[in-house]
Amino acid sequence: MAGSPDFDLYRPSEEHDMLRDAVRSLAEAKIAPYAAAVDEEARFPQEALDALVANDLQAIHVPEAYGGAGADALATVIVIEEVARACASSSLIPAVNKLGSLPVILSGSEDLKKKYMTPLAKGEGMFSYCLSEPDAGSDAAGMKTKAVRDGDYWVLNGVKRWITNAGVSEYYTVMAVTDPTKRSKGISAFVVEKSDEGVSFGAPEKKLGIKGSPTREVYLDNVRIPADRMIGEEGTGFATAMKTLDHTRITIAAQALGIAQGALDYAKGYVQERKQFGKPIGDFQGVQFMLADMAMKLEAARQLTYAAAAKSERLDADLTFFGAAAKCYASDAAMEITTDAVQLLGGYGYTRDYPVERMMRDAKITQIYEGTNQVQRIVMARNLP
Ligand SMILES: Cc1cc2nc3c(=O)[nH]c(=O)nc-3n(C[C@H](O)[C@H](O)[C@H](O)COP(=O)(O)OP(=O)(O)OC[C@H]3O[C@@H](n4cnc5c(N)ncnc54)[C@H](O)[C@@H]3O)c2cc1C
């Protein structure tokens, strides 16, 4: 198998390695120093956004045709992974910029792509993704938000819940029902702008983790938008939303990898410093075995995620299975690894004086959003390789 083109694509190239080094240095210098405060104060990581924009890393997936870097799926994974290693909340900037904008890239008209991908690539406006609603989570097709045609306009009404970066983003991909008789085939996708009349936001949710990433409701109250803001054909919005998730679940896997790597790196250093029974606790085989298991799980998750990224880039037929598998496996691994990192720090690990408890709280969300891990198993079971 070694040497076949498929196999080579699973491995990061020299360019990918250089990108990782650059993002790691940036994240350590400009993002990590604020991670604890961003969590403690539950505030948006503006320093991270500024640093990412200054280095053109806020949305590197945007194609070159619209002024972006045109980075491949693996490069995007590496950026998210390295930012998440320092601060999970900040990693939602590149991750959700991809999630929000991919529907336009996959299904939007050329005009729509030019209009919205260009400011995204320049760092002039972020993108959010509005699928979930108060009564439509795992069963997203049960949404109630409606769009009604009125001449050359569509008028949107409804409530979207749990919208990451809501209020900060300029642009919102909104899924809404255009034909209630057709369930998922009666859902269409639209670009809504923050400045459109009738758009407002709920109070930030008070969360267990990723506290620096604002999660708010988006209210659409008679929002009247030009008909050309529809993404793709009428009735294709749900299919576009699901196709998007096939690609972006890999970015949640990347976030999980980064959080877990941050926790493992911290624990590895700590066990060499902390002494009990007259020697570093890292000298005890019981502790070494825990670190070995953590590293093993992390590397298995990384290989699955990179394989899925290669499939995303090539649009392989088994992408749906791999996207779900990578997200599910990496997020479960991150939860185990961060929990073990807290264990390795003992009582100190349980306090906010050390970063691993934040990492453990942050890891939990990766098992829930972009479809819970139960939903990932449903997706995998329906798409067995
Ligand atoms: C911090 C945060 C950020 C988010 N960001 C976004 C965003 O930017 N955009 C967006 O659109 N959404 C976002 N979400 C929403 C997220 O995707 C949903 O919360 C998630 O899909 C689950 O939906 P729910 O919360 O309604 O849970 P429910 O669907 O009510 O699920 C509750 C439990 O039931 C289980 N369950 C449900 N159905 C089944 C089944 N058929 N079989 C087995 N188990 C099942 C679930 O796995 C879960 O354990 C975000 C959520 C959070 C918490």
Side-chain angles (χ1 to χ4, degrees):
M1 190 74 190
S4 81
D6 279 5
F7 190 82
D8 286 347
L9 252 181
Y10 288 16
R11 282 201 306 265
S13 64
E14 212 173 295
E15 276 185 338
H16 288 118
D17 290 341
M18 281 163 57
L19 175 69
R20 183 189 299 283
D21 289 347
V23 183
R24 181 165 295 196
S25 303
L26 181 78
E28 283 180 349
K30 302 265 163 91
I31 297 175
Y34 304 100
V38 156
D39 174 66
E40 192 70 36
E41 297 159 24
R43 68 165 176 87
F44 182 73
Q46 188 61 43
E47 298 88 348
L49 177 61
D50 294 345
L52 291 169
V53 169
N55 291 277
D56 289 329
L57 291 167
Q58 80 285 357
I60 62 160
H61 67 283
V62 175
E64 285 171 1
Y66 312 107
D72 63 28
L74 182 53
T76 309
V77 158
I78 288 169
V79 170
I80 295 166
E81 204 184 328
E82 289 303 324
V83 175
R85 180 176 168 272
C87 173
S89 292
S90 301
S91 70
L92 281 156
I93 294 169
V96 175
N97 274 339
K98 181 165 180 178
L99 173 67
S101 64
L102 203 58
V104 178
I105 294 172
L106 289 174
S107 308
S109 67
E110 203 46 42
D111 283 351
L112 221 47
K113 287 183 203 176
K114 271 200 198 105
K115 181 167 179 195
Y116 292 109
M117 293 309 104
T118 311
L120 176 65
K122 282 189 186 154
E124 292 171 355
M126 303 207 305
F127 245 97
S128 287
Y129 176 89
C130 305
L131 179 68
S132 307
E133 296 187 0
D135 296 321
S138 299
D139 181 15
M143 68 177 63
K144 293 189 186 126
T145 295
K146 278 194 178 60
V148 176
R149 182 99 196 203
D150 180 16
D152 289 342
Y153 293 86
W154 285 92
V155 180
L156 277 68
N157 276 289
V159 178
K160 291 293 176 180
R161 177 169 274 182
W162 310 117
I163 306 309
T164 298
N165 293 339
V168 182
S169 291
E170 283 299 321
Y171 311 115
Y172 298 81
T173 290
V174 174
M175 271 52 76
V177 177
T178 44
D179 184 345
T181 64
K182 293 190 181 155
R183 212 172 132 82
S184 69
K185 293 204 165 67
I187 291 170
S188 305
F190 301 87
V191 178
V192 170
E193 299 184 11
K194 179 174 156 178
S195 56
D196 287 331
E197 211 179 316
V199 174
S200 61
F201 305 99
E205 304 290 346
K206 295 175 184 155
K207 307 192 297 290
L208 173 73
I210 56 157
K211 292 188 181 195
S213 172
T215 314
R216 300 168 73 175
E217 285 189 325
V218 175
Y219 305 121
L220 304 158
D221 184 14
N222 281 320
V223 178
R224 198 177 161 79
I225 57 171
D228 63 8
R229 294 244 213 110
M230 183 182 271
I231 303 170
E233 297 294 310
E234 189 177 338
T236 61
F238 194 76
T240 296
M242 294 303 111
K243 212 189 293 172
T244 297
L245 294 178
D246 283 346
H247 295 276
T248 58
R249 281 175 178 147
I250 300 163
T251 68
I252 302 304
Q255 191 183 38
L257 294 180
I259 297 169
Q261 187 70 61
L264 176 58
D265 289 348
Y266 197 88
K268 225 163 60 181
Y270 184 88
V271 300
Q272 284 159 21
E273 301 296 321
R274 174 70 175 169
K275 288 196 174 114
Q276 289 292 282
F277 303 99
K279 49 173 142 169
I281 56 170
D283 284 1
F284 298 114
Q285 202 174 47
V287 166
Q288 292 167 6
F289 280 8
M290 279 180 74
L291 286 163
D293 279 348
M294 290 157 78
M296 171 180 70
K297 287 175 194 167
L298 179 53
E299 201 49 45
R302 181 171 284 121
Q303 293 304 320
L304 182 55
T305 304
Y306 289 6
K311 286 173 183 296
S312 161
E313 199 54 35
R314 293 191 305 245
L315 300 174
D316 283 355
D318 53 3
L319 168 63
T320 301
F321 174 85
F322 269 80
K327 188 273 195 195
C328 190
Y329 192 86
S331 59
D332 284 350
M335 200 65 243
E336 290 171 20
I337 293 163
T338 53
T339 305
D340 283 350
V342 169
Q343 190 70 19
L344 285 174
L345 267 71
Y348 298 97
Y350 200 64
T351 70
R352 286 193 214 171
D353 296 332
Y354 293 83
V356 289
E357 69 85 35
R358 166 171 52 85
M359 293 165 174
M360 179 179 154
R361 287 186 285 106
D362 287 345
K364 183 65 203 169
I365 191 59
T366 63
Q367 296 180 305
I368 295 173
Y369 56 20
E370 294 207 24
T372 64
N373 281 2
Q374 285 81 11
V375 166
Q376 304 310 316
R377 287 178 169 92
I378 296 172
V379 172
M380 282 187 274
R382 283 184 188 151
N383 294 278
L384 290 175

